[in-house]
Amino acid sequence: MIKLEELHKKRRKLIVLSLSIVLFAILVVYSFLDFKKDFIQREITKTKAEIKNTAEIKMETIHHNYADMLNDLDTIARRMTMFDETDRDLIIDELYDMSSVSHFSHIGISDRNGNILDSGGRNGNISEREYFKLAIKGEKNISDVMESKIISQKDIQVMAVPIIKENEIIGICYGVLNIGEIDVVLENETGSMIYTQLVDSDGNYITANNSEPALANGENIWKELERYNFISGSIDKLKEDVENKKSGEFSFEYEGKHRISYYTPLDINNYYLFSASSDELIDLRTEELTRGTSGLLIKVIIAGSILFIGIFYYIQQINKELKYSYKKAITNNEILNISALESNRYIFDYNPKTKVLEKKAGKHNLLFYKDEFTDMPDSILSMDIIDKESVNDFVNIFEEISSKDSIEKEIKISHKDISQWLRIRMKKIYNDHKIINIIGIVDDVTEKKNQEIIIESKDREAKVLKHQAERDALTSLYNAGTFKQKVADILNRENRDNSVDVLLLLDLDNFKLINDTFGHQYGDKVLIDVAEILKHSFRKDDVVARLGGDEFVVLLVGTDGYEKLEPLLENLCKKLTMTYTKGDISITVSASIGIAISPTDGNTFKDLYYKSDIALYQVKNNNKNGYKKFEE
């Protein structure tokens, strides 16, 4: 009986133990499922905050780029006041040059009646276009999506500004953006789990996002949303918010894919920005969590209550690691998104407590020349290359970011004879109202500042910047555009009398062989050597330029005739015959020169270039390394 009672006791203990283990296992499973549900909800909440932050950064980029493009059109409009109706070819050249270095597919101007001339030499009438009506009244504006009159079945967006001369509006200047290419203009990201879409006041897409998770297929957004099954929010609520210019969020399901979206007005016309993300990232993290804890769950059930404390501790550690991993992922994701948008910039993060600045992506520049700086901003100030007028702004960037959400300054750098402008933007990144990082972006805005200073300032520094704008970057000779303008001014001068102007067109012999054999850096050295020879071979009033590649041009002003130039030309050919050696390979370069004379061969750059080019290739075809005057 004793043994039987002991056996029953053991059985009861075993049953109690078994029930305890089962109850413990049920509790653990319930706790795990509840933890998973809470984890997913927190991930969704954090994803919403991440989508909103992305939208705010994107809005900042869009405002900057639209403002820059309108400023470009203002610059062109001011330049157009210098021409009249007889300057058609010059106007087309100017518009073409401007469009080739801008985001616009083409640029045009119109008179007060809407008659246009654009960078492709095309004519037409835009008097019925709304953007023309607004601009001719003096209002800068950006149009909704419309069908192009120039290219059939092509959707475009147009920006327009008035052309004002002597306080009177004489026409408009407009730039055309192709909708298919506008993602490049707005620096829209591709391949990201967060994507943005920009729509006009009628709901037409201004962007054409090709990101993998994007569901948009180019339709009107209101038609597209009718296909979706809304989980939170509705089309009616969305339309009401858009009408009242409010921000909001909604989630929906389409073809088995779940999306979370945030929308906000852009403060440009009635445009709206939609920022959306799939739940793939949340699913991925949840699956990883499930795989990692399933084996642990089985072990916990088998081990029983003895392992409870250890398991509880382990779960707590996992939770801490997940929080840490999430914060780190948020930071890395922000950096990757910004890097994708600003790949040609210097991107960094900054810790105001340690005063450490660390590069995350982009390119070095004259100021931020390495990957990490300590003791900021003093370590960079010690380089003594920041212009005195910008020192306080540079210091304030790093001081004021502690009390502001974002800050932006333009800093001038002066080093030797180089002047450069950098725009520095810093922004705090938040998670649950806590600062988790400070991100910085550095842009080179030298060209923009140079244009502003050339137009608006007459001081000494503006003249230096104008000089840089007229010069070829590699050789410091005049560039093609400046040379054409100077030739036109010289050939059309009033006191020309009977003077003879001579145009020399030079093309290097064997230059391609130098590039192919020694590399393009060696080729650049050859071009610089040639430029130095040309600089010191002619008079102060003569004009020397590099047209591009290995083609140079010289205008000799007011000569005594071609015959008296022959000793100079002979000597020039000798100087330009140079041998370059690398290793055991030597290559000799020389110059072939074609010559045209004004007024005999023409009184425009176009005529003189054409005829000197014919003479040049006669030299090329006859042993090279020589010169020849154009002959009929």
Side-chain angles (χ1 to χ4, degrees):
M1 289 293 294
I2 297 176
K3 290 184 178 179
L4 184 59
E5 289 178 359
E6 290 178 354
L7 180 59
H8 283 309
K9 287 180 180 179
K10 289 181 179 179
R11 285 179 178 176
R12 285 195 296 270
K13 289 180 180 179
L14 181 60
I15 291 172
V16 172
L17 179 60
S18 299
L19 289 174
S20 298
I21 293 174
V22 170
L23 290 173
F24 175 75
I26 292 172
L27 179 61
V28 170
V29 171
Y30 174 79
S31 299
F32 171 75
L33 294 176
D34 186 65
F35 171 76
K36 181 178 178 181
K37 179 182 177 181
D38 180 65
F39 175 83
I40 293 173
Q41 187 58 47
R42 283 189 286 114
E43 290 298 323
I44 291 173
T45 301
K46 292 170 182 175
T47 299
K48 289 180 179 179
E50 186 177 356
I51 292 171
K52 185 177 180 181
N53 282 338
T54 299
E56 291 173 350
I57 293 173
K58 175 57 64 178
M59 284 180 63
E60 184 175 308
T61 299
I62 291 172
H63 277 284
H64 273 291
N65 286 344
Y66 271 143
D68 286 346
M69 288 187 283
L70 284 173
N71 286 337
D72 289 343
L73 290 178
D74 273 334
T75 299
I76 299 168
R78 288 194 292 271
R79 290 186 63 82
M80 289 299 103
T81 61
M82 298 185 295
F83 300 99
D84 56 39
E85 294 179 356
T86 63
D87 296 326
R88 175 186 170 89
D89 290 342
L90 290 176
I91 292 172
I92 293 174
D93 287 346
E94 185 77 7
L95 294 175
Y96 177 81
D97 289 343
M98 291 295 184
S99 66
S100 65
V101 297
S102 71
H103 292 302
F104 298 112
S105 61
H106 60 274
I107 299 173
I109 60 172
S110 83
D111 60 19
R112 290 189 58 83
N113 297 318
N115 299 311
I116 70 164
L117 175 64
D118 71 10
S119 53
R122 295 172 289 235
N123 299 108
N125 189 279
I126 58 172
S127 59
E128 296 303 313
R129 292 291 202 183
E130 186 64 23
Y131 65 82
F132 169 81
K133 295 176 181 179
L134 292 173
I136 205 66
K137 293 178 181 178
E139 182 178 341
K140 300 178 185 178
N141 67 93
I142 304 170
S143 79
D144 282 347
V145 176
M146 64 178 69
E147 186 172 341
S148 173
K149 285 189 174 182
I150 302 298
I151 305 174
S152 63
Q153 297 182 339
K154 189 73 173 180
D155 288 336
I156 60 171
Q157 185 185 36
V158 180
M159 299 183 183
V161 301
I163 300 175
I164 302 173
K165 184 174 183 179
E166 297 178 354
N167 296 323
E168 181 182 357
I169 298 175
I170 63 172
I172 77 163
C173 179
Y174 65 91
V176 177
L177 295 166
N178 291 332
I179 295 304
E181 302 169 354
I182 205 163
D183 287 280
V184 177
V185 178
L186 300 183
E187 303 175 346
N188 218 4
E189 72 272 7
T190 58
S192 171
M193 285 190 175
I194 295 179
Y195 62 96
T196 54
Q197 298 283 66
L198 185 61
V199 299
D200 66 15
S201 55
D202 294 324
N204 297 315
Y205 282 107
I206 297 174
T207 52
N209 196 301
N210 296 317
S211 182
E212 178 63 26
L215 296 178
N217 60 4
E219 296 179 352
N220 181 283
I221 193 169
W222 302 118
K223 293 181 180 179
E224 181 182 323
L225 289 174
E226 291 175 358
R227 306 197 310 265
Y228 299 158
N229 178 28
F230 278 75
I231 298 172
S232 65
S234 66
I235 293 181
D236 291 338
K237 177 64 167 60
L238 180 54
K239 288 183 177 180
E240 180 183 343
D241 284 349
V242 170
E243 184 176 352
N244 295 318
K245 296 185 178 180
K246 293 182 178 180
S247 301
E249 61 183 44
F250 63 92
S251 61
F252 61 91
E253 186 272 337
Y254 179 69
E255 294 183 348
K257 295 182 178 180
H258 178 224
R259 294 288 187 267
I260 302 171
S261 183
Y262 173 81
Y263 54 92
T264 186
L266 193 62
D267 295 327
I268 296 176
N269 297 345
N270 290 319
Y271 293 172
Y272 251 77
L273 182 72
F274 287 76
S275 179
S277 172
S278 70
D279 57 1
E280 294 173 19
L281 183 60
I282 298 173
D283 289 344
L284 180 62
R285 291 174 181 169
T286 304
E287 289 172 6
E288 291 175 352
L289 178 66
T290 301
R291 286 196 300 269
T293 57
S294 292
L296 176 62
L297 183 61
I298 295 173
K299 294 177 182 179
V300 169
I301 295 173
I302 294 173
S305 59
I306 299 175
L307 300 177
F308 177 81
I309 296 176
I311 294 171
F312 178 80
Y313 175 79
Y314 185 73
I315 291 175
Q316 290 295 98
Q317 292 301 310
I318 289 177
N319 193 38
K320 289 181 181 179
E321 290 176 7
L322 285 173
K323 290 181 179 179
Y324 172 78
S325 298
Y326 175 76
K327 289 182 179 179
K328 187 174 181 181
I330 283 287
T331 302
N332 289 338
N333 193 49
E334 288 289 342
I335 293 171
L336 288 175
N337 285 338
I338 296 173
S339 179
L341 291 170
E342 321 285 355
S343 58
N344 62 335
R345 299 168 175 173
Y346 184 94
I347 302 167
F348 63 86
D349 63 17
Y350 174 65
N351 187 327
K353 293 182 179 179
T354 62
K355 294 187 177 182
V356 173
L357 183 151
E358 182 179 358
K359 175 190 170 186
K360 291 300 179 184
K363 298 179 180 179
H364 293 132
N365 53 57
L366 194 61
L367 192 62
F368 297 94
Y369 63 93
K370 60 182 181 179
D371 291 347
E372 183 176 299
F373 294 87
T374 58
D375 193 24
M376 288 292 293
D378 292 341
S379 58
I380 286 185
L381 289 174
S382 64
M383 296 163 52
D384 198 26
I385 64 171
I386 298 177
D387 198 88
K388 292 181 180 179
E389 65 187 60
S390 294
V391 168
N392 287 338
D393 283 344
F394 186 74
V395 172
N396 290 340
I397 291 174
F398 294 92
E399 291 181 350
E400 294 179 13
I401 193 60
S402 298
S403 57
K404 295 182 178 180
D405 285 341
S406 64
I407 189 168
E408 176 180 320
K409 299 285 186 181
E410 290 184 349
I411 304 301
K412 182 183 177 184
I413 301 166
S414 298
H415 181 61
K416 297 182 179 178
D417 59 345
I418 300 174
S419 291
Q420 185 180 36
W421 284 89
L422 298 177
R423 182 172 62 205
I424 303 176
R425 287 180 283 168
M426 294 177 68
K427 181 178 179 63
K428 291 176 179 175
I429 305 300
Y430 290 89
N431 177 34
D432 291 337
H433 306 292
K434 294 181 180 179
I435 300 172
I436 61 173
N437 207 359
I438 296 178
I439 298 297
I441 302 172
V442 182
D443 290 300
D444 186 338
V445 293
T446 304
E447 184 176 353
K448 172 177 172 291
K449 293 294 292 187
N450 287 353
Q451 291 174 353
E452 292 176 357
I453 295 174
I454 290 172
I455 294 170
E456 298 173 2
S457 176
K458 296 181 181 180
D459 61 14
R460 179 180 178 185
E461 185 177 5
K463 293 179 181 179
V464 173
L465 293 173
K466 181 176 181 298
H467 174 83
Q468 292 177 349
E470 294 175 343
R471 300 287 171 165
D472 172 63
L474 179 65
T475 63
S476 294
L477 298 177
Y478 284 121
N479 56 35
T482 305
F483 182 81
K484 291 178 185 178
Q485 185 62 53
K486 287 186 174 293
V487 169
D489 293 341
I490 291 170
L491 295 181
N492 294 326
R493 65 191 186 277
E494 293 181 358
N495 59 344
R496 189 175 181 185
D497 298 326
N498 295 322
S499 63
V500 175
D501 303 320
V502 179
L503 188 138
L504 309 180
L505 183 62
L506 294 85
D507 187 271
L508 299 182
D509 307 322
N510 298 328
F511 180 74
K512 185 177 184 301
L513 185 58
I514 287 281
N515 274 340
D516 292 345
T517 305
F518 296 159
H520 288 279
Q521 288 186 338
Y522 213 96
D524 288 348
K525 181 183 184 306
V526 173
L527 295 176
I528 292 170
D529 290 346
V530 170
E532 288 301 312
I533 291 172
L534 295 178
K535 288 176 186 176
H536 297 92
S537 297
F538 300 98
R539 301 165 302 174
K540 179 180 179 181
D541 293 337
D542 298 333
V543 186
V544 184
R546 178 189 176 204
L547 296 183
D550 61 333
E551 190 175 49
F552 297 83
V553 65
V554 182
L555 182 69
L556 303 176
V557 183
T559 70
D560 294 329
Y562 167 73
E563 292 76 12
K564 294 188 178 182
L565 293 176
E566 292 196 80
L568 181 148
L569 296 171
E570 291 284 352
N571 187 43
L572 182 62
C573 286
K574 290 179 182 179
K575 289 181 180 179
L576 294 175
T577 301
M578 299 175 286
T579 299
Y580 292 87
T581 301
K582 187 176 182 181
D584 56 355
I585 300 175
S586 295
I587 298 174
T588 299
V589 297
S590 55
S592 296
I593 306 173
I595 303 167
I597 299 172
S598 177
T600 305
D601 297 327
N603 276 316
T604 67
F605 169 80
K606 184 176 181 181
D607 290 339
L608 295 178
Y609 178 87
Y610 173 76
K611 293 178 180 180
S612 62
D613 189 56
I614 293 174
L616 169 66
Y617 277 94
Q618 289 175 349
V619 177
K620 283 282 189 182
N621 294 330
N622 186 24
N623 298 327
K624 305 179 181 179
N625 190 17
Y627 59 90
K628 189 177 189 308
K629 180 171 69 72
F630 171 78
E631 296 177 354
E632 295 286 353

